[in-house]
Amino acid sequence: MGKKFTKNTRRRALEYEKNINEYWKKNKIFEASVEQRSPDNSYVFYDGPPFTTGLPHHGHLLGSTIKDVAGRYWTMKGKRVERVWGWDCHGLPAEVFTEKKLGIEDKRDVGTKISLEDYILTCRDNVTQISSEWEDTIARIGRWVEFKNAYKTMDKEFMESVWWAFRQLYDKGKIYEGEKVLMYCTRDATPISKAEVAMDNSYQDVTDPSVYVKFKLSDSNTFLLAWTTTPWTLPSNSAVAINKDVDYSVVECDGEELIVASRLVERVFTDEKHNTLPHKVLKTMKGNDLVGKSYEPLFTPDEVLATSDNAFKVWHADFVHDEDGTGIAHESPAYGEEDFQLSKENNIPWVMSTDENGIFTIGDWIGHNIWDSNKLIAKELKERNIVWKIDYIRHEYPHCHRCGTKLMYRAHPSWFMDIDGQRTEMLEANDSVNWFPKHVKEGRSKKTIETAPDWNLSRDRFWATAMPVWKAVDSDGTEQIKVIGSYQELKDLSGKELDDYHRPWVDDIEFTIDGLTYKRIDKVLDCWFESGSMPFAQFHYPFENKEKFENNYPGDFITEYVGQVRAWFYYMNAVNTGLFDEAPFKNVIVTGTIAGNDGRKMSKSLNNYTDPNVLMDKYSADSLRFLLLSSPLLSGEDFALIDKDVADIARKLSMIWNMFDFFTLYADVDGWEWDGSLEDPSSELTNTLDIWIVSRVHELINEIETHTDAYDIPNAMKPILPFIDDASNWYVRRSRKRFWKSEDDSDKQLAYKTLHYILVKLAAVLAPFTPFLAEELYLKLTDEKSVHLEDWPKAGEINSDIIEGMAKLRESVNAGLSVRSQNQLKVRQPLASVTVESRSDAVEFDSILKEELNVKDVILGKKFSLDLNITPELRSEGIMREIIRHVQNSRKQAGLEVDDRIELLIESESPEISEAIDRFKEEISAETLTELYGESAEDGFETKVKIEGLELKIRLNKI
């Protein structure tokens, strides 16, 4: 099996990338690449599915590119890599998307403006209308993944596996019901996890009133001066906290006695312009002297507080300090994490003054939203002499990551996963994973696990997996709980089977056990629990594919951007360590975040990025892939995507096609054919350049393989462009004469064989990273079906002496070219000599250095230097080289082929140029393929050029 080559067979990247996609599809190359590998040798990666509510952006393409690299690479390494797409369908993203379309303002509209059933059906319709743009764009970037059988988190099979997981964790004692203060979105009327806020840094700068509140001690006319930035919580105050070990001072100011931390006196007693107010310290005491004292309520107390012995007292709390504020904290346990914990530890009563939408339900501000009233409350309390003074503070404050509403902290009954009880196991699981970059393991990932609270699993929403919890109340008023782990179990208890287990249909199912009627609680699961269940739920485990999942768990690889360290990566660890006692994945790449071309977050309103499809059509998908893969993103750092950088990569990759064009041009001229062999030609090679470039390609194979095996993609990419430069600008350039002037046919044949071999190997090693270019190159160089059906190339013998010798030689060349540049001397101008400190015997050091630097002699000396003295003879030779350059350019302008012979006439009135023409007649003829020198037909191509200001006429014609 052989192959002939013809020149001018190259296509533009946009054309061949789209054609190759069609070729892959038509010939089922992706499917073949999977099927040709044994199921017993699987490589499993988990694909963090995107939400169905938006179109793909550069962040998605980054993740898809990395996943595609892993899939293609490990397939070439002999693994069976099945790749199935998935869709995140549930949770607030989908609900907010639906509500915008329906014009729904908040949770209260569901059940009034629209029925729950219609709301759920609308959510389902929205997420099933998946745009084909996803599939088109993912294919455009070159990712191979099966869309046809994509799993969806809303599928009943997926949800049943989630039920199973919940039941398993509940039975292990890892899930419990309780009440804690949580981040809470008043618009969506549901708790929000800290991880959701942290992953996309949903903190915004806000200005809040910073108020100093007076609490009158019951046994004197002295006031405790507490500080808070949430005056809206004051109507529900039930305690004051101090630190028993801190020094406090009684300060007289404007006729009042106020207690503050001694260290903060000078900072507190200032006016709005920070001028010191007249004040006097009357005495000091330890905080312990204040513990247990009672104070008068700010407002008429709620009945619960009014009748409690522990309300309106001073308590010690370790979390109070004297670094800012007043060293005294007002406590509203319903609205603060530390406040709530203090109340639990000391049996302090508390009252909820707002409803689930952040509207006051008691006190003077009934019916008002907390945030709308916050500053108003501060001002009114100042007028009532409850607030001593008001400052304003600008600080970062959490907002809902989906709807942008300012969050509140609110005590809320919820279901939790006991993270603290498995923290050690999760840390061990984290430590077993190969993280890239490595600092993430000991940094963000470990710290997330170390500091994570118990996981709030429940949400007070609608479109999500229903919590499989049913409750009944016995005759003693005690709650009885039944957690369901499968649809069959529910059917056995209720006799009911559903096509859809979402709310509201699952809400209607009741069953009786021992005379008690069980009804489902109306909570749904945090969609991150679904995400954490993805490794097994995508297979409907354990109800189906039990052996397949268990034989391929844990997965080999995952990747997402850095925000997912606190989210998906963490939640997968939590769920799967809880279920299976080990980490769910072995290797992970954590990327940074892509910024727009101005360094800011990519935003349509800022117009700071180019649509990915436009960018790929302009510069090629491979160029975008290459830039992303070699960028700081793959080391976990942020990176601004600039079009010019993609263009620069496209230009550098085009050197491959320059080599291909050169190869096919001369192969066509000489009639060289590929004999069908892809074997290493090293044993036949005698030319140092051939041995060097083959060793370099073997070196490249090893380096890429070593780093890719370790999931170090940036270092895997690092040697690629230098190799391309070596191959194009050194090997091909220095071998050029062997192809078109060599009289040694065997040497020419080996040059063809070598160049063909390195281009084929280059296609193979590029296949995972730039799959289109690799395929196009491979198909044009061989008769094989696809480079993506080949094994990863094995590196042959590497001649280190020649590699080191060539490196030393090129260092000398670069040093000499630098001296020429500094002295504005063109390389075409010959010089007498170059002095070098050392040379290599492994390569033709002197002869190559003479050619590259255009010098007559190489001298061994103590210091590198060029002899810059130009004799008349050297100058004449330099003119000859300029003449040859202009004649060659004229051949191109005349449209002549590389092997066309010409008749040539060159004339000049300059004696210096004429002398050079006469002196170097043979060299000019040989270099320009001139057979008739000094003559040219009158109708031939004619041009006039200048050499150092002196005119030269050139006329040539094809013979």
Side-chain angles (χ1 to χ4, degrees):
M1 181 172 61
K3 187 178 182 76
K4 289 185 177 181
F5 300 95
T6 56
K7 58 189 174 182
N8 300 324
T9 56
R10 173 177 166 189
R11 297 183 290 185
R12 290 178 60 246
L14 173 60
E15 180 186 0
Y16 74 66
E17 286 185 346
K18 293 188 174 181
N19 287 346
I20 283 174
N21 254 330
E22 290 301 315
Y23 173 80
W24 287 339
K25 188 175 181 180
K26 178 181 178 182
N27 293 279
K28 299 186 181 301
I29 304 298
F30 168 39
E31 293 82 354
S33 75
V34 174
E35 292 301 324
Q36 73 179 7
R37 306 301 187 185
S38 169
D40 297 330
N41 190 25
S42 292
Y43 177 92
V44 178
F45 81 93
Y46 299 141
D47 189 0
F51 284 110
T52 58
T53 51
L55 294 177
H57 53 64
H58 285 289
H60 292 122
L61 297 190
L62 169 64
S64 274
T65 297
I66 299 168
K67 294 164 190 173
D68 191 61
V69 167
R72 291 181 187 273
Y73 176 76
W74 288 104
T75 295
M76 294 180 79
K77 297 274 282 189
K79 296 285 187 178
R80 183 185 182 95
V81 190
E82 296 179 4
R83 284 152 269 183
V84 179
W85 189 261
W87 294 108
D88 260 338
C89 304
H90 285 149
L92 277 181
E95 289 191 314
V96 170
F97 181 76
T98 295
E99 289 171 9
K100 284 181 179 178
K101 293 181 70 173
L102 294 174
I104 289 176
E105 296 298 326
D106 60 40
K107 181 182 176 183
R108 290 168 294 183
D109 292 338
V110 181
T112 54
K113 287 186 177 179
I114 185 173
S115 69
L116 176 55
E117 181 174 344
D118 287 341
Y119 180 88
I120 294 297
L121 291 173
T122 304
C123 286
R124 176 179 287 280
D125 287 343
N126 285 338
V127 299
T128 52
Q129 293 172 2
I130 298 168
S131 172
S132 62
E133 289 184 53
W134 267 99
E135 192 165 350
D136 293 343
T137 303
I138 295 302
R140 184 68 187 89
I141 197 68
R143 181 182 176 187
W144 277 353
V145 62
E146 183 184 338
F147 275 92
K148 184 179 179 181
N149 295 310
Y151 70 86
K152 302 181 182 70
T153 57
M154 69 178 185
D155 290 342
K156 62 186 292 188
E157 294 79 13
F158 192 102
M159 294 197 300
E160 185 175 26
S161 293
V162 173
W163 276 20
W164 169 83
F166 187 92
R167 168 67 180 271
Q168 293 293 308
L169 294 170
Y170 180 80
D171 287 349
K172 289 184 175 188
K174 293 176 180 286
I175 289 179
Y176 65 91
E177 187 178 16
E179 188 164 26
K180 295 185 180 182
V181 170
L182 306 166
M183 283 184 174
Y184 190 89
C185 177
T186 55
R187 182 210 176 275
D188 300 320
T190 188
I192 302 290
S193 73
K194 287 185 177 179
E196 289 175 301
V197 175
M199 68 178 290
D200 284 321
N201 190 21
S202 298
Y203 285 79
Q204 298 178 24
D205 284 340
V206 296
T207 300
D208 283 322
S210 165
V211 301
Y212 296 77
V213 189
K214 297 188 302 182
F215 292 87
K216 185 180 180 299
L217 291 175
S218 300
D219 61 358
S220 69
N221 285 323
T222 304
F223 294 88
L224 297 164
L225 193 60
W227 176 72
T228 180
T229 59
T230 54
W232 66 265
T233 61
L234 291 170
S236 56
N237 169 268
S238 62
V240 165
I242 55 94
N243 189 310
K244 63 183 177 62
D245 298 318
V246 167
D247 292 326
Y248 289 86
S249 295
V250 179
V251 181
E252 183 182 10
C253 181
D254 198 22
E256 292 182 312
E257 293 183 6
L258 305 168
I259 299 176
V260 299
S262 299
R263 184 181 173 189
L264 296 166
V265 169
E266 298 305 317
R267 194 185 303 178
V268 170
F269 290 94
T270 59
D271 62 17
E272 293 178 355
K273 297 182 179 179
H274 304 293
N275 297 315
T276 301
L277 294 170
H279 65 277
K280 181 181 179 180
V281 177
L282 301 179
K283 66 175 182 178
T284 61
M285 67 192 81
K286 280 292 182 184
N288 198 50
D289 297 331
L290 295 169
V291 173
K293 286 184 175 291
S294 295
Y295 64 89
E296 295 179 1
L298 298 180
F299 308 95
T300 302
D302 175 88
E303 183 178 349
V304 173
L305 302 183
T307 57
S308 171
D309 292 336
N310 278 352
F312 309 119
K313 285 187 176 180
V314 179
W315 303 86
H316 161 72
D318 289 330
F319 58 79
V320 176
H321 53 77
D322 58 358
E323 295 174 6
D324 56 26
T326 65
I328 300 174
H330 124 73
E331 300 297 298
S332 180
Y335 302 110
E337 292 178 280
E338 294 170 325
D339 311 41
F340 188 80
Q341 188 61 33
L342 184 69
S343 74
K344 284 181 64 177
E345 293 169 356
N346 297 283
N347 195 28
I348 302 170
W350 53 274
V351 63
M352 184 77 69
S353 62
T354 63
D355 67 10
E356 63 178 7
N357 298 105
I359 306 299
F360 281 108
T361 56
I362 62 173
D364 297 350
W365 293 277
I366 288 179
H368 291 274
N369 176 274
I370 58 170
W371 296 118
D372 294 342
S373 312
N374 203 31
K375 293 179 183 179
L376 177 63
I377 291 171
K379 290 178 181 178
E380 286 194 20
L381 295 182
K382 179 73 167 64
E383 292 170 2
R384 297 185 196 180
N385 203 29
I386 292 174
V387 166
W388 178 66
K389 76 169 181 176
I390 303 174
D391 288 336
Y392 284 90
I393 183 172
R394 187 161 183 80
H395 62 141
E396 285 192 333
Y397 194 87
H399 287 65
C400 180
H401 62 299
R402 292 302 173 187
C403 68
T405 302
K406 191 174 181 180
L407 299 176
M408 68 186 296
Y409 286 83
R410 186 178 193 269
H412 197 74
S414 296
W415 286 72
F416 297 88
M417 182 171 175
D418 179 15
I419 298 300
D420 195 51
Q422 64 175 43
R423 199 179 306 276
T424 299
E425 291 80 3
M426 287 178 65
L427 287 168
E428 290 172 354
N430 179 70
D431 199 49
S432 71
V433 174
N434 170 42
W435 289 83
F436 191 87
K438 296 189 182 301
H439 65 78
V440 178
K441 176 190 286 189
E442 292 300 317
R444 187 182 294 237
S445 183
K446 182 178 181 181
K447 286 181 173 58
T448 297
I449 298 170
E450 287 176 335
T451 60
D454 284 356
W455 178 7
N456 166 30
L457 293 176
S458 56
R459 296 290 182 268
D460 301 311
R461 294 297 304 181
F462 314 109
W463 176 239
T465 298
M467 282 189 66
V469 177
W470 274 255
K471 284 184 177 181
V473 179
D474 63 20
S475 58
D476 296 331
T478 304
E479 278 190 342
Q480 301 297 323
I481 296 174
K482 181 66 177 175
V483 176
I484 303 298
S486 71
Y487 299 149
Q488 184 61 48
E489 182 183 5
L490 183 60
K491 181 180 179 182
D492 291 343
L493 289 168
S494 68
K496 300 287 182 64
E497 189 173 9
L498 301 177
D499 292 328
D500 190 337
Y501 285 84
H502 284 95
R503 300 189 66 189
W505 303 284
V506 72
D507 296 347
D508 298 333
I509 296 181
E510 299 178 0
F511 52 82
T512 301
I513 301 177
D514 297 333
L516 298 180
T517 299
Y518 284 76
K519 299 180 179 181
R520 200 191 74 82
I521 65 173
D522 62 0
K523 293 182 182 293
V524 296
L525 277 168
D526 177 7
C527 64
W528 286 110
F529 191 81
E530 295 175 344
S531 300
S533 302
M534 170 262 171
F536 53 88
Q538 65 172 324
F539 297 114
H540 193 209
Y541 178 87
F543 309 103
E544 293 182 78
N545 303 304
K546 192 171 189 295
E547 184 178 353
K548 179 174 184 176
F549 168 72
E550 291 175 355
N551 289 341
N552 292 288
Y553 181 88
D556 293 286
F557 173 61
I558 60 172
T559 182
E560 288 295 339
Y561 85 113
V562 66
Q564 296 288 6
V565 173
R566 292 192 182 104
W568 188 46
F569 298 163
Y570 166 77
Y571 291 123
M572 277 210 292
N573 188 338
V575 172
N576 292 276
T577 299
L579 289 171
F580 308 117
D581 300 317
E582 64 178 320
F585 46 85
K586 300 174 186 175
N587 303 280
V588 57
I589 292 176
V590 180
T591 75
T593 304
I594 305 180
N597 52 42
D598 56 0
R600 293 185 288 177
K601 184 178 180 179
M602 285 188 171
S603 167
K604 288 184 178 180
S605 61
L606 293 174
N607 193 30
N608 64 348
Y609 70 97
T610 302
D611 178 272
N613 285 294
V614 173
L615 200 59
M616 288 187 283
D617 284 352
K618 187 172 184 180
Y619 299 115
S620 81
D622 282 329
S623 299
L624 179 58
R625 285 174 64 118
F626 196 103
L627 176 65
L628 294 176
L629 293 169
S630 57
S631 74
L633 288 164
L634 273 288
S635 297
E637 301 172 26
D638 294 348
F639 176 70
L641 180 60
I642 300 171
D643 293 9
K644 179 180 175 296
D645 292 340
V646 186
D648 189 49
I649 293 294
R651 178 181 58 80
K652 292 175 180 177
L653 291 178
S654 71
M655 288 192 290
I656 296 172
W657 293 117
N658 293 340
M659 289 189 285
F660 174 79
D661 289 347
F662 175 84
F663 169 77
T664 56
L665 174 65
Y666 288 100
D668 185 20
V669 169
D670 286 336
W672 186 85
E673 292 185 28
W674 173 55
D675 62 7
S677 171
L678 294 174
E679 296 299 315
D680 179 358
S682 295
S683 60
E684 305 174 54
L685 302 180
T686 56
N687 188 291
T688 304
L689 271 175
D690 293 342
I691 298 170
W692 171 75
I693 196 61
V694 169
S695 291
R696 281 286 289 116
V697 83
H698 292 161
E699 192 177 51
L700 178 69
I701 292 168
N702 278 342
E703 198 165 353
I704 292 177
E705 184 172 26
T706 297
H707 292 302
T708 308
D709 282 353
Y711 296 87
D712 182 353
I713 303 299
N715 280 316
M717 302 296 292
K718 193 173 290 184
I720 294 175
L721 292 180
F723 174 82
I724 294 171
D725 183 70
D726 281 357
S728 177
N729 293 327
W730 189 255
Y731 176 74
V732 170
R733 183 174 62 78
R734 286 221 45 85
S735 299
R736 193 176 296 272
K737 290 182 180 179
R738 298 169 63 199
F739 287 92
W740 68 277
K741 285 183 64 177
S742 177
E743 296 178 0
D744 184 344
D745 188 63
S746 63
D747 178 65
K748 180 185 286 191
Q749 292 300 313
L750 285 174
Y752 277 119
K753 193 169 188 176
T754 300
L755 183 52
H756 182 270
Y757 176 79
I758 65 166
L759 287 173
V760 168
K761 292 304 173 188
L762 183 58
V765 297
L766 286 179
F769 310 103
T770 56
F772 296 109
L773 186 157
E775 188 77 295
E776 176 80 351
L777 187 61
Y778 195 75
L779 294 178
K780 286 185 174 299
L781 289 169
T782 74
D783 286 326
E784 305 298 328
K785 194 171 184 180
S786 172
V787 70
H788 302 290
L789 298 178
E790 302 298 328
D791 290 341
W792 181 257
K794 289 182 169 58
E797 183 179 345
I798 297 172
N799 191 316
S800 299
D801 290 340
I802 288 181
I803 285 181
E804 291 170 9
M806 200 68 79
K808 179 184 285 291
L809 168 62
R810 295 186 73 186
E811 285 176 12
S812 298
V813 170
N814 290 334
L817 293 175
S818 177
V819 172
R820 276 185 170 275
S821 177
Q822 291 167 13
N823 289 274
Q824 297 183 333
L825 281 173
K826 295 178 181 179
V827 179
R828 282 184 292 276
Q829 174 57 61
L831 297 175
S833 66
V834 61
T835 301
V836 296
E837 297 180 57
S838 62
R839 51 163 64 97
S840 169
D841 296 330
V843 297
E844 295 82 0
F845 193 94
D846 286 10
S847 62
I848 296 176
L849 190 60
K850 286 179 186 179
E851 285 188 29
E852 288 294 316
L853 295 183
N854 196 7
V855 297
K856 300 299 182 182
D857 196 14
V858 178
I859 302 170
L860 195 62
K862 292 184 178 180
K863 185 178 180 182
F864 183 93
S865 64
L866 275 175
D867 183 349
L868 302 178
N869 180 44
I870 301 174
T871 64
E873 290 78 10
L874 291 173
R875 177 173 169 79
S876 181
E877 186 176 342
I879 291 172
M880 175 267 290
R881 290 178 178 267
E882 290 288 348
I883 292 170
I884 290 173
R885 179 175 72 90
H886 285 299
V887 173
Q888 299 289 42
N889 286 341
S890 298
R891 285 175 56 96
K892 290 181 182 177
Q893 292 173 28
L896 300 183
E897 301 293 345
V898 66
D899 57 338
D900 285 341
R901 306 286 165 164
I902 62 168
E903 53 182 356
L904 173 66
L905 175 66
I906 43 178
E907 297 175 331
S908 175
E909 294 181 2
S910 164
E912 195 173 18
I913 292 180
S914 296
E915 181 186 349
I917 293 170
D918 292 339
R919 182 178 176 185
F920 294 104
K921 176 181 177 181
E922 291 184 6
E923 286 89 338
I924 294 172
S925 294
E927 292 288 337
T928 60
L929 298 184
T930 298
E931 292 196 357
L932 297 174
Y933 189 81
E935 20 182 323
S936 178
E938 292 297 326
D939 60 349
F941 177 85
E942 182 175 317
T943 186
K944 291 182 179 179
V945 297
K946 288 188 177 181
I947 300 176
E948 296 185 7
L950 304 175
E951 194 170 271
L952 172 72
K953 182 175 78 172
I954 299 172
R955 187 192 302 150
L956 56 85
N957 198 32
K958 176 181 175 182
I959 295 179

